[in-house]
Amino acid sequence: MKNLSDLMQQAQKMQADMQKAQEQLADAEIHGEAGAGLVSVIMTGRHDVKRVTIDPAVMSEDKEVLEDLLAAAVNDAVRKVEAHNQEAMSGLAAGLNLPPGFKMPF
């Protein structure tokens, strides 16, 4: 029975650690950009866009160019958020011996 008790305590600690890590990731701010920084986006770990910055030099471009740069900056931020979250959570999941390709629900 002692092993079961230890296992339950370990599971509860892991769950608390996972929740804390998810909260920290949600608060992270990730910077995405396009056009060599002419358009930049700050996005949280929850994929909420907090800020968009557009260099005044881009304002003279066609509307389609600005839209493409904005989309590219958002996509860059999304990819960086995903990579950041995956890297941070992989450390917590390292000892779980999960099957290859298993995705955690976050």
Side-chain angles (χ1 to χ4, degrees):
M1 285 288 185
K2 182 171 171 54
N3 288 341
L4 181 59
S5 176
D6 290 345
L7 185 61
M8 291 300 290
Q9 286 178 348
Q10 186 179 13
Q12 287 174 342
K13 182 184 181 316
M14 185 181 300
Q15 184 178 12
D17 290 347
M18 187 76 75
Q19 184 173 358
K20 182 179 176 184
Q22 287 175 332
E23 290 169 4
Q24 289 173 340
L25 289 174
D27 293 338
E29 291 188 0
I30 307 296
H31 179 257
E33 66 177 38
L38 292 174
V39 176
S40 65
V41 173
I42 302 294
M43 182 177 286
T44 69
R46 289 188 180 155
H47 298 96
D48 294 330
V49 175
K50 290 188 76 172
R51 189 171 335 135
V52 175
T53 306
I54 301 171
D55 189 289
V58 179
M59 299 308 284
S60 63
E61 295 293 331
D62 291 338
K63 178 180 179 256
E64 291 80 19
V65 171
L66 182 55
E67 290 170 344
D68 288 346
L69 286 171
L70 183 55
V74 169
N75 289 337
D76 184 46
V78 167
R79 283 189 292 275
K80 288 178 178 177
V81 165
E82 292 298 319
H84 178 260
N85 289 354
Q86 184 175 14
E87 181 181 320
M89 296 308 279
S90 68
L92 287 175
L96 296 179
N97 296 326
L98 298 174
F102 181 82
K103 292 192 175 193
M104 298 294 271
F106 43 79

